[in-house]
Amino acid sequence: MCGRTCLTLDPDQVLCACKYPNEKPKEDNKEQEYTTPEWRAEFNLGRRYHASYNIAPTDITPVIVSAAHFSESSDLKCERLVMPMMWGMIPAWHKGDYRKHGLTTNNCRLEHLMDSKLYRGPFKRGQRCVVICEGFYEWQTTKPAKPSEREAYLVYVPQEAEVKIHDKSTWSPSNVKLLRMAGLFDVWQDESGDKMYSYSIITFESSPIMSWMHYRMPAILETEQQMNDWLDFKHVSDSQALAALRPATALKWHRVNKLVNNSRNKSDECNKPFEQAAKPEKPKGMLAWLTGTKPGKTKIKEEEMKQLEKADPIKRSISPTTSESAAKRPRCEPNDAAPQEVKAEIKLEAPES
């Protein structure tokens, strides 16, 4: 399953990170050459891609597609395109507001792909894509816990020794390895004819590498051969493309803060290891009252402790603290007159009753 991702690169940086190798050089001593894909901007009803540490379904993100979808020319300058699409496929038959079709389409189960009214058409038309990110967030569901208490993890592909995926100061778009997931896309049109491109990520049953965390995992494309087989709908058959979808053999992960639970949190603390993430500040004011926290009282106690530390240790042992004196002192002094007056009043009132 995949319900949240992280991609903090701008469009130009995305293109740099998505360079792919040309055909192998004929000469053994010749260096491998790489091609930079082109960015294809789409209107998408006015919505745009925004880099984020916490990307959720319905957000716009860049995906890789074959350039053959938009050109019949056999002499293409670039075989791959990167274009922004909305996460969560919109059913082609839906009418009205594209956000209100009522289906959960961020993931597509591989087992039911060919039986699905939503996904069978795009697959048969060769509308295969690759979703890119620095990593995806997953919640551990194999342990009994409430959804809000489940541990969250950032899952990513192994990097070079000096690269720490959560620390952008240790890598650049040219040396980072993005995680690539197989997906399907479709094109939806509103009543005015404006188009919205959207996609779903393909998932299947988790292999042992991830089954300890979750029972589902995305179809991750680890090699360039898998990438080519999945994207090249002109020359690679449906069955060959499906054969390219197999469980990943190498993944890395680390636990992250529960900040990522809320998709509105876009802080750079979202993808940091749990031990390094900044702890949330204690509630103040009305929120502190609602949560039972009393910062004022805690502050007074801290000040009292500081004063005690400064005081002479001998005096501290002889003189009781203010709180101790208050505890030993009776709440009110006995008053002999009061009971007599009360008794007198009772005697006077007794005959009247």
Side-chain angles (χ1 to χ4, degrees), residues 280-296 298:
E281 295 183 1
K282 292 182 179 180
K284 298 179 180 179
M286 181 62 72
L287 184 59
W289 178 79
L290 291 171
T291 56
T293 307
K294 300 180 179 179
T298 305

Side-chain angles (χ1 to χ4, degrees), residues 300-352:
I300 292 170
K301 287 183 178 180
E302 290 177 354
E303 290 177 356
E304 287 180 357
M305 290 301 293
K306 288 180 181 179
Q307 291 176 1
L308 286 173
E309 289 174 0
K310 293 179 181 179
D312 186 79
I314 299 174
K315 289 182 179 180
R316 273 192 292 156
S317 60
I318 297 173
S319 302
T321 60
T322 307
S323 58
E324 290 174 346
S325 301
K328 294 178 181 178
R329 186 172 63 248
R331 291 187 178 180
C332 59
E333 297 296 335
N335 191 339
D336 297 334
Q340 293 176 0
E341 292 176 2
V342 173
K343 289 177 182 178
E345 290 177 3
I346 293 173
K347 288 178 179 179
L348 290 171
E349 292 175 1
E352 294 179 8

Side-chain angles (χ1 to χ4, degrees), residues 229-294:
D229 290 346
W230 184 249
L231 291 173
D232 190 3
F233 69 99
K234 288 282 189 179
H235 306 98
V236 180
S237 66
D238 293 348
S239 58
Q240 289 175 317
L242 290 175
L245 306 184
R246 48 186 181 267
T249 58
L251 289 174
K252 296 286 186 180
W253 55 79
H254 60 249
R255 186 184 170 191
V256 296
N257 195 289
K258 290 182 180 178
L259 280 171
V260 75
N261 289 12
N262 190 331
S263 60
R264 291 190 294 271
N265 291 331
K266 307 295 185 182
S267 164
D268 59 0
E269 298 292 326
C270 287
N271 72 340
K272 283 184 170 55
F274 183 79
E275 300 79 12
Q276 298 180 21
K279 294 182 179 179
E281 295 183 1
K282 292 182 179 180
K284 298 179 180 179
M286 181 62 72
L287 184 59
W289 178 79
L290 291 171
T291 56
T293 307
K294 300 180 179 179

Side-chain angles (χ1 to χ4, degrees), residues 8-9 134 159 162-173 175-176 178:
T8 61
L9 302 177
E134 290 154 29
Q159 304 288 326
E162 69 279 2
V163 173
K164 296 179 180 178
I165 198 68
H166 62 275
D167 185 356
K168 291 188 72 174
S169 66
T170 65
W171 55 269
S172 66
N175 70 348
V176 70
L178 297 181

